[in-house]
Amino acid sequence: MATKKKTDSVDQAEPTFSKEQLVKSETLGLPRDAVAAILKDGQQYTREQAIQLVTEFLERKV
């Protein structure tokens, strides 16, 4: 009798990217100079985190 593998719904962590990878990314849809200015060197970000940080910066009131 064949046994079925137990498939638990495991929350997969979103992939994280370095600042350099996000600056070079063409899929963010954000100005590269803003991405380079906002994100910190040596820190990892998810795509959504990077978009949120840069968008908040660009939409802030002065």
Side-chain angles (χ1 to χ4, degrees):
M1 185 171 186
T3 59
K4 292 184 178 181
K5 284 187 176 181
K6 193 175 189 181
T7 56
D8 293 328
S9 61
V10 177
D11 290 332
Q12 298 265 339
E14 290 188 52
T16 58
F17 305 97
S18 67
K19 173 184 172 179
E20 293 78 22
Q21 290 174 314
L22 291 166
V23 168
K24 292 178 183 178
S25 173
E26 295 179 3
T27 61
L28 284 180
L30 298 169
R32 289 183 182 191
D33 57 340
V35 175
I38 303 306
L39 303 183
K40 297 179 183 177
D41 291 327
Q43 192 168 346
Q44 298 287 314
Y45 300 92
T46 63
R47 184 176 183 276
E48 287 75 25
Q49 285 174 329
I51 291 171
Q52 181 182 5
L53 288 170
V54 176
T55 303
E56 285 175 1
F57 175 79
L58 292 174
E59 294 177 352
R60 76 189 191 288
K61 293 185 180 184
V62 290

